[in-house]
Amino acid sequence: MKNKKLYLETNNHLLRSNKKEIERPCRLSFEVAVIGGGPAGMMAAGRAAELGAKVVLLEKNEILGKKLLLTGKGRCNFTHNEADLRKFAEKFGKKGRFLYSALARFGVSEVIEFFAVRGVKAKVEQGDRIFPENGEAHNILKALIKYLEEGGVHIRLKAEVVGLQLEKGKISSVLLPEQQISADKFILSTGGRSYPQTGSSGEGYRWLEQLGHTIITPVPALSPVKTSERWVKELQGLSLKNISLYLFQNGKKQDQRFGEMLFTHFGISGPIVMDMSKGIGESLKNGPVKLVLDLKPALTFQQLDARIQRDFREFKGKMLKNSLKRLLPLSIIPVIIQLSGLDPEKKVDYITREERNKLVHRLKGLELTPTELLGFNWSIVTSGGVALQEVNPDTMGSKKVENLYFAGEILDLDGPSGGYNLQECWSTGYLAGQSAAESLPNFPHKTSPKTKAQKS
Ligand SMILES: Cc1cc2nc3c(=O)[nH]c(=O)nc-3n(C[C@H](O)[C@H](O)[C@H](O)COP(=O)(O)OP(=O)(O)OC[C@H]3O[C@@H](n4cnc5c(N)ncnc54)[C@H](O)[C@@H]3O)c2cc1C
């Protein structure tokens, strides 16, 4: 393995041709071809190579892991501190069962170990989110490139795959604009449709439909939400912690979250909004939806009223607008007073019980009207993708095309924020790489570390 080299190649000399039929001389041949150099593709390519396979990784961007570098605001929340694989999988809803095998093979502790041996120590932060100790997504990418290097993966950047060639029900090669690369096994890890500016623009889905796979309609998930209220704009940039958010439709509560959210110029964002966005999007298809914010979920109505009375005693002789600063962030005070229908200049000494009541109700029930999700350009993940019943969960292999495997967000799986989605990429990528290598006719390879391990 040590004498293998890393091949970094760009194909900027390969220009797109206007000709419909392009001669594509088959210059290169590999055992495993991985399409898409995001987290899932890198893990898949690395694992197949670690088992001794001759692997090519094809990425259309000029760098690997363009989206990975944006994760966790550049800090990369690369997994979640949940050792129980069933509890972990539950976060993906009913479909999460699909992940059992992948998580059992390469779960949270294996991922932490994987990065630790490549110099990236894990640090558990608030909400059991796991980040690199030194706080950079860049280090996660470096560790993955090291893994590719160790296995001698042939990396091709600026290599946009434009199609797949099928022969006798199997894929025989991938098509680049003016080149063809043949392989025995193919791993598709082209991601979903979110943040298309990072390269994930959904090409994979098109090819798969042509190959007979069902694609569950991709929709944005973990998305910021647009709201219609004008006052929201005034609060732009305000982040609220420890609040509760409720989703209502036709007077019935559909969902609720507790945690942190953010006001933006168009509406709301932040962890609890993102996590609720899929449900908001689905509910909006059925009609109007209300969101209700409880700014003081730890206090009952009576407790909050008592707390306000205490504050009013302290601020005796002061105007209402200057008497709520112990209770609320400054920027939201005028909005709350206005929405409660109160006079901001009235002295707190003269505020009536009825007026206090209005204030308490507004603090525990601030209504927002969502109009739409912000769309793929701003959504963290894509919900939908390759139908899971057409993929073998023990191998990540296609049940439709013999030599095809899947990894990452291209699958119809999406989890909440908190490191779940990257863990899904590591687990499915590792399993896809392993399965592809193990299904090669000459496996185990003589040079495979696994072979060595088995001997010892
Ligand atoms: C802003 C942001 C922050 C996030 N933060 C977190 C976080 O902290 N924690 C977390 O768990 N998740 C996070 N996510 C989600 C996480 O980044 C994704 O789940 C993950 O990147 C999906 O990995 P993937 O390898 O499946 O796909 P991608 O990362 O999308 O990679 C797919 C790759 O395939 C390439 N490709 C596509 N088509 C072709 C083609 N035709 N030819 C060649 N190459 C092609 C693309 O260029 C791309 O590089 C975040 C996402 C975003 C957008």
Side-chain angles (χ1 to χ4, degrees):
M1 201 58 61
K2 272 187 186 149
N3 55 9
K4 283 202 178 185
K5 281 189 192 140
L6 173 77
Y7 298 96
L8 265 172
E9 227 179 78
T10 62
N11 67 339
N12 49 7
H13 59 287
L14 298 173
L15 298 170
R16 271 184 174 283
S17 167
N18 292 327
K19 282 186 256 164
K20 281 210 172 127
E21 285 301 318
I22 302 167
E23 257 313 272
R24 292 184 174 95
C26 194
R27 291 188 204 150
L28 293 167
S29 167
F30 293 86
E31 288 176 314
V32 178
V34 181
I35 308 168
M42 285 187 273
M43 185 56 81
R47 180 59 182 155
E50 188 179 14
L51 294 176
K54 188 181 173 203
V55 182
V56 63
L57 175 59
L58 301 162
E59 168 54 54
K60 70 177 171 185
N61 287 329
E62 66 295 346
I63 56 163
L64 293 171
K66 201 165 181 178
K67 187 182 282 180
L68 178 67
L69 291 175
L70 301 181
T71 58
K73 297 189 179 133
R75 295 186 53 229
C76 188
N77 173 198
F78 68 96
T79 186
H80 194 88
N81 191 25
E82 175 57 77
D84 183 327
L85 81 84
R86 280 170 198 271
K87 281 195 188 150
F88 190 99
E90 261 171 31
K91 294 287 183 177
F92 290 76
K94 281 187 195 146
K95 292 172 188 164
R97 296 167 68 89
F98 177 87
L99 284 173
Y100 285 173
S101 286
L103 285 167
R105 193 77 59 107
F106 197 64
V108 174
S109 52
E110 286 80 9
V111 165
I112 292 172
E113 170 76 9
F114 172 90
F115 285 108
V117 299
R118 287 168 184 83
V120 188
K121 278 200 190 148
K123 185 178 169 218
V124 182
E125 296 196 7
Q126 204 189 16
D128 278 331
R129 291 159 190 254
I130 298 183
F131 290 85
E133 192 182 52
N134 65 5
E136 278 191 41
H138 183 68
N139 293 54
I140 292 284
L141 179 59
K142 256 168 62 183
L144 288 163
I145 292 179
K146 196 165 176 222
Y147 188 41
L148 298 172
E149 217 163 359
E150 284 161 8
V153 172
H154 190 107
I155 300 172
R156 295 212 42 194
L157 301 174
K158 298 189 186 172
E160 180 172 7
V161 173
V162 292
L164 305 171
Q165 184 153 314
L166 206 64
E167 270 173 43
K168 297 180 190 153
K170 284 165 69 174
I171 300 171
S172 57
S173 55
V174 290
L175 307 175
L176 300 177
E178 292 190 7
Q179 198 181 25
Q180 193 164 328
I181 292 176
S182 67
D184 299 309
K185 308 286 167 187
F186 296 83
I187 300 175
L188 205 50
S189 49
T190 45
R193 281 189 56 198
S194 55
Y195 269 62
Q197 62 273 34
T198 63
S200 21
S201 42
E203 283 104 307
Y205 302 139
R206 257 201 329 272
W207 309 325
L208 289 170
E209 278 180 329
Q210 284 161 10
L211 291 173
H213 266 288
T214 309
I215 300 298
I216 308 298
T217 308
V219 291
L222 297 188
S223 171
V225 175
K226 274 194 195 174
T227 53
S228 59
E229 284 74 12
R230 288 219 191 123
W231 53 263
V232 162
K233 219 172 175 180
E234 292 167 37
L235 300 183
Q236 152 173 199
L238 173 67
S239 167
L240 297 173
K241 289 194 174 126
N242 302 324
I243 53 115
S244 287
L245 181 65
Y246 299 88
L247 166 63
F248 286 93
Q249 186 156 49
N250 301 325
K252 271 196 191 153
K253 189 169 81 184
Q254 310 283 333
D255 197 1
Q256 85 180 73
R257 306 280 157 142
F258 172 80
E260 190 176 341
M261 65 158 277
L262 176 76
F263 286 98
T264 66
H265 63 287
F266 52 78
I268 49 174
S269 185
I272 59 171
V273 174
M274 298 276 206
D275 284 343
M276 207 188 248
S277 61
K278 194 173 159 188
I280 296 172
E282 275 161 16
S283 300
L284 278 171
K285 286 186 207 150
N286 306 323
V289 171
K290 271 277 166 235
L291 291 173
V292 178
L293 266 174
D294 181 349
L295 298 172
K296 296 288 163 192
L299 302 178
T300 62
F301 280 74
Q302 289 77 6
Q303 286 168 332
L304 182 54
D305 187 39
R307 163 75 204 270
I308 290 172
Q309 288 186 58
R310 234 181 19 244
D311 284 4
F312 282 2
R313 280 195 293 275
E314 191 187 329
F315 290 101
K316 203 168 180 331
K318 296 258 169 21
M319 287 189 274
L320 177 62
K321 66 178 181 186
N322 298 324
S323 307
L324 295 171
K325 55 189 173 203
R326 295 241 190 285
L327 196 66
L328 294 169
L330 287 182
S331 60
I332 203 171
I333 293 174
V335 173
I336 293 291
I337 294 178
Q338 197 204 349
L339 293 174
S340 308
L342 303 179
D343 174 1
E345 314 236 312
K346 190 168 180 179
K347 299 253 168 73
V348 288
D349 320 48
Y350 302 108
I351 300 274
T352 63
R353 173 196 277 244
E354 196 192 330
E355 284 172 324
R356 249 184 14 244
N357 214 8
K358 282 184 185 167
L359 191 59
V360 170
H361 274 84
R362 195 49 68 230
L363 289 169
K364 290 202 63 77
L366 186 57
E367 287 192 5
L368 286 156
T369 316
T371 52
E372 58 177 324
L373 304 190
L374 217 55
F376 283 118
N377 282 355
W378 300 100
S379 65
I380 300 293
V381 288
T382 301
S383 174
V386 183
L388 300 180
Q389 61 271 29
E390 296 172 1
V391 183
N392 181 343
D394 296 327
T395 61
M396 294 297 135
S398 160
K399 292 182 185 170
K400 300 262 176 191
V401 184
E402 196 189 303
N403 60 345
L404 176 63
Y405 297 81
F406 301 104
E409 203 176 313
I410 192 163
L411 291 160
D412 176 25
L413 279 169
D414 57 286
S417 62
Y420 291 97
N421 291 294
L422 279 174
Q423 178 63 51
E424 185 251 308
C425 293
W426 312 131
S427 299
T428 56
Y430 189 90
L431 183 53
Q434 170 142 345
S435 310
E438 286 179 351
S439 64
L440 288 167
N442 57 346
F443 185 84
H445 290 65
K446 285 196 186 81
T447 52
S448 146
K450 187 178 171 184
T451 319
K452 283 181 202 158
Q454 278 168 350
K455 276 182 190 160
S456 61

